Amino acid sequence: MIQLAKKARFLKQEYIPLLQRLSADTAPQWGKMNVQQMVEHMAEYVAMAYGNPPQELLTPEDRLEKMQEFLKSEKDFKPNTPNALMPDDPAPARLSSMRAAIDLLKEELEHFFTAFDTEKKKYVMNPFFGELDYGMSIQLLYKHAWHHLRQFGMEKDGRHV
């Protein structure tokens, strides 16, 4: 597994600049969200990762171990991974611009790190993966961030295809 500190540093320092390199009209390689909708989606899921709002577990107990095994792995989310919390057609963008969406995401990331800095033994219920501590939350956010960066043509080596 890639080092936790490296993934946290990515989320703190590298993720937002990569998003800022995307044009608001970049077409997705899969899925129906546009770039701004994706950024707003990520802001919601970062907030969820620190418990805002609190979530209930949706995954059946007998599947939870397998879900956590996947989360601990370096396997990527597959394109078009279904999300029971999202409608088939994405909601329209709520914010006035891509920049506003990125600013919101940046703010939510700051709240996430502050929440876990303030409460070192914090656990947050994720509806798909169960109770997650800081390390598992970082793992999920890192995986989720790269899933959507790839959706819009960004590669881990920084190339935008």
Side-chain angles (χ1 to χ4, degrees):
M1 184 159 77
I2 297 174
Q3 204 176 60
L4 176 64
K6 184 176 180 182
K7 291 177 179 180
R9 185 173 51 254
F10 169 82
L11 292 167
K12 286 179 180 179
Q13 298 173 4
E14 299 169 36
Y15 182 39
I16 297 297
L18 285 174
L19 289 171
Q20 290 169 330
R21 290 175 47 194
L22 294 174
S23 168
D25 61 357
T26 302
Q29 295 185 1
W30 70 81
K32 298 179 181 178
M33 286 189 286
N34 64 35
V35 176
Q36 183 173 334
Q37 290 167 319
M38 176 272 290
V39 173
E40 290 181 15
H41 161 78
M42 285 301 300
E44 289 176 19
Y45 279 72
V46 170
M48 188 185 298
Y50 66 84
N52 183 25
Q55 300 292 308
E56 292 185 20
L57 183 64
L58 299 177
T59 299
E61 287 289 332
D62 63 334
R63 291 197 23 122
L64 199 52
E65 186 176 341
K66 235 181 192 0
M67 292 293 286
Q68 288 206 349
E69 282 177 28
F70 167 76
L71 183 56
K72 291 174 185 174
S73 78
E74 293 305 316
K75 294 178 186 171
D76 295 329
F77 286 112
K78 293 178 181 171
N80 292 312
T81 298
N83 182 334
L85 297 178
M86 293 181 66
D88 288 338
D89 291 314
R94 296 180 323 274
L95 301 173
S96 62
S97 67
M98 174 77 168
R99 181 182 173 122
I102 288 174
D103 287 346
L104 175 62
L105 176 55
K106 185 177 180 184
E107 185 177 302
E108 292 297 359
L109 283 164
E110 290 168 2
H111 289 312
F112 169 82
F113 286 105
T114 298
F116 279 96
D117 283 344
T118 302
E119 190 179 336
K120 300 290 186 202
K121 296 191 184 292
K122 183 178 184 71
Y123 279 82
V124 174
M125 179 60 72
N126 178 278
F128 307 108
F129 297 100
E131 284 206 332
L132 303 180
D133 64 5
Y134 174 75
M136 291 293 281
S137 295
I138 290 289
Q139 177 73 0
L140 175 56
L141 290 176
Y142 181 85
K143 231 182 237 255
H144 196 180
W146 274 109
H147 172 72
H148 288 297
L149 286 168
R150 282 190 313 279
Q151 179 184 15
F152 289 94
M154 194 71 67
E155 299 294 330
K156 284 192 178 175
D157 62 7
R159 288 182 301 124
H160 184 225
V161 293

